[in-house]
Amino acid sequence: MRYLPALVALIVATSFAEAQQLAFNPGFEEVDDAGWAAGWEIWPDTLAAGSVLALDENMPHTGRASLRISQTNPVAYSRAEQEIAVEPDASYLFHVWVKGEELLPGDGSQGARLYVAKPTGDTATRRQEGTFGWKQIRLGPVEMKGASRITLMFYLHRATGTVWVDDIEMVKVTPDLEHELEQEKVYELLNKGIDQVRTEAEILGDADAQAALDAIAERAKGTELPSDVDHRAGPPYYPLHAEVFGVMAALNREYSGAAGPVAAWVSDPFEPMGALQTVPAEREMTAGCLMGLDERDQCRVNLSNIGDAPVDVQISVDGLDGDGAPTITLREMCCIDPGGGGLKPDPLPLLDEVGGVRTITLPPGRLGGVWLDISSAGAAAGTYATTVRIAPDGGDEMRVPVSIEVLPLRMPEEKPITTWGYSYEYYWILPEVWHLAAPDLAAHHIDAYCWPSRYVPFPELDDDGNLQTLDWTTFEAGVASHPPMRWLLLWPGFEWQGNLELRLGLEPGSAEWKRVARLWFRALVDGLDERGFGTDRVAWYLTDEAISYGKAKATVQTGAILNEVSPESLVMSNPYPAAPWDLLRQMDPVVNLWCPSLSFTDPEHLEFFREGSDILWTYQVLGKGSDPFAQHRLSFWDCWQKGLTGQGFWCYADAHGSNWDPRDEGRGDYSPVYEGDEREMIPSLRWEAWREGVEDYTYLWMLRQRMQQDAGTPQVRETARELIEQLPGQVLASGTPEALTDARRRVLETLVALGE
């Protein structure tokens, strides 16, 4: 019995139906004298060979006909579009019904999509592909952000096959509709929890738990659920939600064998889990870590309330044995909603003493945990022991012995892989907390910074057309406020027409534009060098994610001038899989630092990028829903295996409103840190996994360096060679925390055997 998806759809559909339809001829029912859909334009005027864009009376979703787009050429692009006047301060919601048959995306394909183009930023649905029956997809709400007109289009881009389109809907988001959309999100949260616990109940064959979940779903029908919840406190968020967690607690109470009221167990710090987590029947109760000098490591103790009432759990740690011992900072592992209804552990706020005790409060059924943030800064090599004591109210104290082994190894201060996180000091709350963010970035090995056009001194000409002295004031202020950086990714933003015109209104590519561009680039290169940023420290990030021909053209135009003026300068481009081969080849002559997305480093593309790069980097877009182990830490093993020497991620500062609330500003949050502590940027599992990944990469590099320097005995060097050749592939093939932990131990122990 899965009531809620249909209920949610009914709620929004009712409000949607009551709103005013703004798209003209949305069902393609009205036709002009030529038999074409009135109000819709065909692009291009002459379709590619093998392409058809027509009305299809044999395949309507409703009414008389649908729109059919068919293509046999994998590089063809066909679309139907109309312009619509909008209110600049409004938001709009779009729906469309689509049906697909053998939709096969080609190279650089955007596929079949509903697309809204506007001067203040475009947006689109996800790419549709394959064969599927009629289904409705949604776009929005889409904020106009000052736009007064939009172009609404449906297209088939660089793909073969057929897509049918019908019943396009566009409505203004009214307060009532906005409220219903909020209810939809809250119901989604409840529904995902019910489905997750139901799956576990079905596995266990527990009919009572399934009946309890059915009863919760039934009572949710027609119920107004709270949407203004305390995200900082974590789930469950309202009474019905708490009942779902209560069923999870009952299952864990019945089948885990734990004495209660709280179950505790040790896992890898980055093992994926959810807030509604099954307690394992066999629970590890010892923890340990292996680390070098001046390093940070971590241990994690999971806690789950298997009782039927909230429980306060007191946490303490015995003093470490031995002189020169590492230090331990206790943190609480909290759960959040990353968006989309899933719940997972991520924030790691400090676990402070209140009244002389450290307490974690756990509602029934929710996963929580203790995070040991271990630092060997200033510590001596050796083995140290301590015990974590867990004392739940109404239960017996549980003890977790912890062993910390510090090896006589020290990583180089400058890491062998460059990393950056698009940490704009003017984004989000960073202007107010930059004094916390700057050291936090350095502590997580960020040594490169992307600086957009606000830091770039653009040219000014005198009356005779001579280039005036560039104003470096903003640039120099940025240098003063940032931690020491190894690399500067300088992003003039040439994808924007004004910047491409050098803010002088010059026609790009014209003789005068080229003259001024040469003078300006020469002054920039010289000025950067004078300020300590030689050509070996600056990556010219001319356009961002150049996957369109317009961006590629801008990259080639500006990159060619820069290559001419300063051949030793590095021109960077960061495409992702939507970039077609001809576009990549168009940019290749001017690009000598390829930085494709990690998903774009398949063998064929990787070979192309490597041939055209003096340096090869990568990047990822990593939201709150990303996997700390697989997408953050393990990605550095992938970088090592592929010979990539830099990795960035979007984005340290891209949060909207509060990073604790995924929905407060209508956009998802990406930042791996949380606000709310005047002492620090609150870290996350994702952020700590990133730091660990950099350190994994560094230890692999150290092992290779020492092997090549003929350190140690021939037998140990042979062991090191085998590890370098085999371990990364084995870790990636396994994809498990256990395999990585074992591999890292072998690397560190071999490093010790090789000696300094």
Side-chain angles (χ1 to χ4, degrees):
M1 295 174 66
R2 287 169 167 78
Y3 301 98
L4 297 185
L7 174 61
V8 167
L10 179 61
I11 290 172
V12 175
T14 301
S15 293
F16 206 95
E18 294 171 352
Q20 181 183 359
Q21 168 65 266
L22 299 175
F24 180 74
N25 194 15
F28 309 100
E29 300 299 302
E30 299 182 37
V31 296
D32 57 23
D33 293 340
W36 171 243
W40 292 91
E41 299 292 330
I42 295 176
W43 186 95
D45 292 336
T46 302
L47 297 175
S51 298
V52 175
L53 203 158
L55 299 182
D56 190 338
E57 296 184 357
N58 296 317
M59 194 66 69
H61 174 252
T62 62
R64 185 182 64 86
S66 64
L67 171 69
R68 173 168 57 90
I69 308 176
S70 297
Q71 294 180 167
T72 58
N73 186 337
V75 298
Y77 179 21
S78 311
R79 71 181 189 235
E81 63 186 36
Q82 64 174 267
E83 282 199 9
I84 302 173
V86 294
E87 298 177 25
D89 297 329
S91 295
Y92 295 85
L93 188 64
F94 304 82
H95 284 101
V96 60
W97 284 88
V98 296
K99 181 180 186 296
E101 184 175 290
E102 297 182 352
L103 289 172
L104 179 63
D107 184 32
S109 173
Q110 298 297 314
R113 301 204 297 178
L114 183 70
Y115 194 94
V116 174
K118 54 187 174 67
T120 53
D122 300 348
T123 188
T125 58
R126 292 183 181 275
R127 182 174 77 180
Q128 304 297 309
E129 55 187 88
T131 297
F132 51 88
W134 283 108
K135 65 180 180 180
Q136 189 181 47
I137 55 178
R138 174 190 294 176
L139 178 62
V142 179
E143 296 179 52
M144 294 300 102
K145 297 182 178 179
S148 59
R149 298 190 71 81
I150 64 168
T151 301
L152 177 64
M153 63 182 77
F154 197 97
Y155 62 62
L156 185 58
H157 175 263
R158 287 180 166 262
T160 57
T162 302
V163 60
W164 289 268
V165 185
D166 205 356
D167 298 327
I168 295 175
E169 299 171 321
M170 171 185 172
V171 299
K172 179 182 174 182
V173 177
T174 62
D176 286 345
L177 180 54
E178 184 174 16
H179 173 74
E180 301 302 347
L181 290 169
E182 285 297 321
Q183 283 293 294
E184 178 186 64
K185 293 173 184 176
V186 179
Y187 272 100
E188 179 185 40
L189 195 66
L190 181 64
N191 186 55
K192 285 202 172 182
I194 289 175
D195 282 349
Q196 184 176 347
V197 180
R198 187 193 309 277
T199 298
E200 183 63 23
E202 290 172 349
I203 292 172
L204 295 170
D206 194 311
D208 290 342
Q210 294 178 60
L213 294 168
D214 289 341
I216 295 170
E218 182 66 30
R219 280 186 285 116
K221 295 173 65 176
T223 301
E224 179 82 7
L225 297 179
S227 57
D228 184 16
V229 300
D230 185 356
H231 289 274
R232 178 67 175 81
Y237 295 121
Y238 44 84
L240 275 177
H241 203 211
E243 290 187 35
V244 176
F245 277 77
V247 177
M248 186 76 245
L251 288 171
N252 281 328
R253 189 164 57 246
E254 178 71 19
Y255 298 102
S256 70
V262 171
W265 72 101
V266 173
S267 70
D268 182 272
F270 305 110
E271 181 177 340
M273 293 188 186
L276 289 159
Q277 181 66 37
T278 302
V279 175
E282 297 183 5
R283 295 178 290 283
E284 176 63 52
M285 288 297 286
T286 61
C289 70
L290 182 70
M291 61 196 307
L293 299 167
D294 296 324
E295 189 184 335
R296 286 171 57 199
D297 213 314
Q298 54 281 312
C299 294
R300 166 175 152 185
V301 183
N302 303 292
L303 305 173
S304 180
N305 180 354
I306 64 173
D308 55 10
V311 176
D312 287 340
V313 186
Q314 293 187 14
I315 307 296
S316 61
V317 178
D318 295 349
L320 283 168
D321 297 333
D323 297 330
T327 59
I328 297 177
T329 300
L330 289 180
R331 298 182 178 276
E332 179 180 359
M333 186 180 73
C334 300
C335 289
I336 50 95
D337 173 13
L343 299 168
K344 56 175 281 190
D346 194 47
L348 298 169
L350 291 167
L351 183 55
D352 291 324
E353 284 191 4
V354 178
V357 297
R358 292 183 171 90
T359 302
I360 294 175
T361 300
L362 287 174
R366 190 183 80 188
L367 179 74
V370 184
W371 186 273
L372 279 65
D373 190 341
I374 304 166
S375 171
S376 61
T383 301
Y384 305 88
T386 187
T387 300
V388 178
R389 299 176 183 271
I390 303 163
D393 287 353
D396 296 333
E397 180 183 87
M398 294 172 282
R399 299 180 183 182
V400 178
V402 180
S403 174
I404 303 169
E405 187 175 358
V406 181
L407 299 177
L409 295 170
R410 182 175 279 107
M411 289 182 288
E413 184 174 345
E414 184 176 288
K415 303 300 182 285
I417 185 166
T418 291
T419 62
W420 66 98
Y422 297 92
S423 44
Y424 307 135
E425 62 179 321
Y426 57 87
Y427 243 43
W428 186 36
I429 61 168
L430 292 198
E432 292 77 37
V433 296
W434 186 248
H435 64 289
L436 300 175
D440 180 58
L441 288 158
H444 288 80
H445 309 307
I446 297 297
D447 61 1
Y449 290 85
C450 177
W451 281 9
S453 58
R454 65 165 55 197
Y455 294 96
V456 180
F458 272 77
E460 293 184 9
L461 304 179
D462 62 19
D463 293 340
D464 296 324
N466 299 310
L467 182 68
Q468 296 187 346
T469 302
L470 299 181
D471 182 358
W472 291 89
T473 304
T474 302
F475 182 94
E476 291 171 347
V479 172
S481 67
H482 280 68
M485 64 182 85
R486 179 160 42 143
W487 280 92
L488 174 63
L489 281 57
L490 201 60
W491 178 27
F494 290 131
E495 56 263 58
W496 296 301
Q497 189 65 26
N499 288 354
L500 185 58
E501 294 170 350
L502 309 183
R503 303 189 184 181
L504 296 170
L506 301 175
E507 178 64 28
S510 66
E512 179 62 6
W513 180 88
K514 290 180 180 179
R515 183 188 74 84
V516 174
R518 290 188 186 97
L519 294 173
W520 180 52
F521 273 128
R522 183 72 265 169
L524 282 174
V525 171
D526 291 344
L528 287 165
D529 187 63
E530 291 168 5
R531 289 159 179 81
F533 291 91
T535 54
D536 60 339
R537 292 186 61 197
V538 179
W540 290 86
Y541 189 177
L542 300 178
T543 62
D544 181 44
E545 295 184 328
I547 63 157
S548 68
Y549 290 95
K551 286 186 178 183
K553 181 179 179 181
T555 301
V556 172
Q557 283 181 321
T558 54
I561 298 294
L562 180 57
N563 287 169
E564 175 187 337
V565 169
S566 177
E568 61 278 7
S569 288
L570 292 165
V571 175
M572 170 181 163
S573 184
N574 62 326
Y576 59 87
W581 274 110
D582 59 332
L583 183 146
L584 297 175
R585 295 189 179 102
Q586 180 182 333
M587 293 191 293
D588 190 51
V590 303
V591 174
N592 52 5
L593 197 169
W594 283 107
C595 182
S597 69
L598 193 57
S599 60
F600 206 20
T601 56
D602 58 275
E604 186 179 9
H605 283 96
L606 190 60
E607 181 181 1
F608 170 82
F609 294 132
R610 185 174 285 118
E611 289 177 353
S613 268
D614 297 329
I615 298 171
L616 190 58
W617 291 347
T618 190
Y619 76 103
Q620 298 187 78
V621 177
L622 297 170
K624 281 200 291 190
S626 58
D627 184 325
F629 176 76
Q631 293 176 270
H632 293 256
R633 186 173 187 178
L634 198 60
S635 69
F636 283 91
W637 291 74
D638 198 12
C639 287
W640 174 268
Q641 187 80 335
K642 293 173 177 175
L644 310 175
T645 58
Q647 181 174 203
F649 71 92
W650 182 270
C651 165
Y652 183 81
D654 190 6
H656 305 273
S658 170
N659 201 26
W660 296 92
D661 184 348
R663 303 182 176 95
D664 54 351
E665 295 291 334
R667 283 187 57 188
D669 298 323
Y670 292 83
S671 176
V673 293
Y674 292 79
E675 80 280 5
D677 192 327
E678 62 183 14
R679 298 163 295 179
E680 66 170 8
M681 304 300 294
I682 298 171
S684 65
L685 271 72
R686 292 171 292 134
W687 196 212
E688 299 312 294
W690 180 271
R691 175 184 51 75
E692 283 293 321
V694 175
E695 294 169 3
D696 292 343
Y697 188 106
T698 300
Y699 279 128
L700 288 167
W701 177 86
M702 290 171 62
L703 185 63
R704 185 176 63 188
Q705 290 293 104
R706 293 193 183 180
M707 179 191 69
Q708 293 173 347
Q709 293 165 358
D710 288 337
T713 66
Q715 182 179 2
V716 175
R717 287 199 301 274
E718 178 61 20
T719 298
R721 184 190 63 78
E722 291 176 356
L723 292 180
I724 288 294
E725 291 179 355
Q726 299 174 15
L727 268 189
Q730 292 171 356
V731 169
L732 291 167
S734 171
T736 64
E738 294 79 12
L740 190 152
T741 298
D742 178 67
R744 177 156 163 162
R745 171 174 287 276
R746 294 171 67 187
V747 168
L748 266 63
E749 290 175 344
T750 305
L751 274 169
V752 172
L754 286 170
E756 293 291 340

